[in-house]
Amino acid sequence: MLGPNRLLSGNAGVPNLSYYDFALAVLPVPLLLGLLVGKLSALAPELGVSTGAIVSALALAHLLFRDPPTRRGPRGSRERVDGPSA
């Protein structure tokens, strides 16, 4: 019996970016902005980097503890993990 071949991953080759992918991609931005502000202003570079690191750490703590990744998706949505039903 020949039928559609379904790959084990279910989405191989199709980019499936989620809220958490985006959040992790922008996590270093406050750190880099702090470095830039520290270099271009009268503030000490250490203060700018430290401030950016604190903001990044708070964002990471939010992602891990306040809105953790679950099988239901961000903020508890009831989206199915294995795709739409037939």
Side-chain angles (χ1 to χ4, degrees), residues 21-32 52 55-61 63:
D21 295 325
F22 176 72
L24 289 175
V26 299
L27 205 55
V29 170
L31 187 61
L32 295 173
V55 172
S56 289
L58 289 173
L60 180 63
L63 289 171

Side-chain angles (χ1 to χ4, degrees), residues 19-72:
Y19 166 76
Y20 299 103
D21 295 325
F22 176 72
L24 289 175
V26 299
L27 205 55
V29 170
L31 187 61
L32 295 173
L33 286 175
L35 178 64
L36 185 66
V37 167
K39 289 287 187 182
L40 298 178
S41 70
L43 293 174
E46 295 84 6
L47 181 62
V49 171
S50 298
T51 304
I54 289 171
V55 172
S56 289
L58 289 173
L60 180 63
H62 170 75
L63 289 171
L64 290 176
F65 301 112
R66 296 273 303 166
D67 193 12
T70 61
R71 292 189 62 84
R72 290 192 289 174

Side-chain angles (χ1 to χ4, degrees), residues 16 23 72-73 78 84:
N16 189 15
R72 290 192 289 174
R78 299 246 180 216

